[in-house]
Amino acid sequence: MRLDAKVAVVTGSGRGLGRAYAHALAAAGAAVVVNDIDAAAAEVVQKEILDAGGRAAVLVGAVGTADVADALVETAVREFGRLDVMCTNAGALRDRTLAKVTDDEFDLVVGSHLRGTFTCGRSALLRFREQGTGGRLILVGSPAGQLGDFGQTAYAAAKAAIIGLVRVWSVECAKVGVTVNAVVPMALTRMAATIPSLAETVAAVEAGEPVPAAMRRSGLGTVDDVAPLVVFLASDAAAEVTGQYLGAGGDRLSIWGHPREVFSANREGGWTAESIADAFPQVFTPHLQRHKVAR
């Protein structure tokens, strides 16, 4: 699969998943704007791509502001003549439970993940409309945004909201030929290392050991297992794929479901608090959704 005529921006691509996305897109032929808050890390990725015969530029900056989003698009156009793909990967991590998360920590995480996705998506769309040739918005979700997890108040909120953007933007952008999808990665990254049960495995993989086969089958692998999905979504082969949340990890590729009502019941004249209480155990409780809290 070749992306020789395409130009992509990958935010937060100095390390981890973003770096893997940038390398995979470049290996497929796309020119890539590497973005990170760490200039040295971004420049290393740029050099790796150039040394491999690819094309890459760097824009250092923290996503979240319109200025940085506009600068990313402007860099793509100045260096490579156009923009075709915006992959919004960047974001900060501050795992805290509800009682412990501070206002500043919440704002940092939501601002980088959610506002960063919003501003970069908006700037990219404006460029896509000007070019008149469509484009790709590849947003990055997380299982935490779908399922939640302990200690991820800010992160899960931001990632769930990004899925909401996919629902809205895929409808709004269809008329100008722009697809909007989310990648839901499952990879042994620095974030995964903060989970006690995975810390030892992450360290082993970083030391060069393979991911255990059973873990790969369960859908957990390396960052390089996720990157091919980004390449596919950037390609012409995915021109009809939009509004989807696609999971990738290890040996597994998955489609996440869209929200829907799972059960409803009518009561003539409406429901009172008392009638809800009367009906809930027999009528509604059997349909309550599975949750991590034991019942």
Side-chain angles (χ1 to χ4, degrees):
M1 184 171 292
R2 299 300 302 170
L3 305 174
D4 298 286
K6 298 187 184 297
V7 179
V9 169
V10 182
T11 67
S13 47
R15 293 183 177 85
L17 284 161
R19 175 179 175 272
Y21 302 157
H23 272 289
L25 289 165
V32 180
V33 177
V34 179
N35 159 255
D36 207 275
I37 58 173
D38 185 334
E43 288 165 3
V44 166
V45 175
Q46 179 194 31
K47 184 176 186 303
E48 291 169 344
I49 291 173
L50 295 175
D51 288 349
R55 297 174 293 157
V58 168
L59 192 287
V60 178
V63 299
T65 67
D67 288 345
V68 170
D70 291 345
L72 286 165
V73 174
E74 290 164 4
T75 300
V77 174
R78 182 182 66 250
E79 297 293 329
F80 305 115
R82 60 183 295 108
L83 177 68
D84 300 282
V85 180
M86 173 64 76
C87 179
T88 57
N89 170 76
L93 297 174
R94 294 294 186 275
D95 285 356
R96 300 283 189 274
T97 59
L98 174 58
K100 294 180 178 179
V101 66
T102 68
D103 290 3
D104 287 345
E105 288 171 337
F106 186 88
D107 290 345
L108 173 65
V109 174
V110 174
S112 57
H113 286 282
L114 181 55
R115 188 176 178 84
T117 296
F118 157 63
T119 54
C120 290
R122 181 179 60 187
S123 293
L125 176 63
L126 293 174
R127 179 62 195 180
F128 294 155
R129 287 170 55 186
E130 182 179 342
Q131 291 174 176
T133 53
R136 302 283 188 271
L137 293 177
I138 304 174
L139 315 188
V140 178
S142 167
Q146 305 282 12
L147 303 173
D149 210 345
F150 189 90
Q152 294 186 340
T153 289
Y155 182 71
K159 289 303 190 181
I162 286 170
I163 296 302
L165 295 182
V166 173
R167 296 181 197 131
V168 175
W169 290 358
S170 58
V171 175
E172 292 182 349
C173 298
K175 63 184 178 182
V176 291
V178 175
T179 66
V180 187
N181 296 284
V183 173
V184 182
M186 287 284 287
L188 294 165
T189 61
R190 287 183 299 165
M191 178 183 170
T194 66
I195 302 171
S197 62
L198 293 177
E200 186 175 335
T201 304
V202 172
V205 170
E206 288 180 345
E209 295 184 22
V211 179
M215 189 172 285
R216 289 189 59 85
R217 286 193 297 272
S218 73
L220 187 59
T222 70
V223 294
D224 292 325
D225 294 317
V226 183
L229 177 57
V230 174
V231 174
F232 166 73
L233 291 173
S235 76
D236 292 342
E240 303 302 320
V241 180
T242 195
Q244 303 302 309
Y245 332 134
L246 304 173
D251 298 331
R252 177 182 292 178
L253 189 67
S254 59
I255 299 174
W256 287 82
H258 288 224
R260 60 183 179 85
E261 286 187 341
V262 296
F263 177 76
S264 65
N266 288 3
R267 180 176 183 272
E268 188 173 350
W271 292 88
T272 64
E274 291 77 12
S275 64
I276 294 172
D278 288 341
F280 213 87
Q282 288 78 35
V283 178
F284 293 95
T285 295
H287 301 281
L288 293 180
Q289 301 298 286
R290 293 181 60 188
H291 184 53
K292 292 188 177 186
V293 177
R295 296 188 181 278

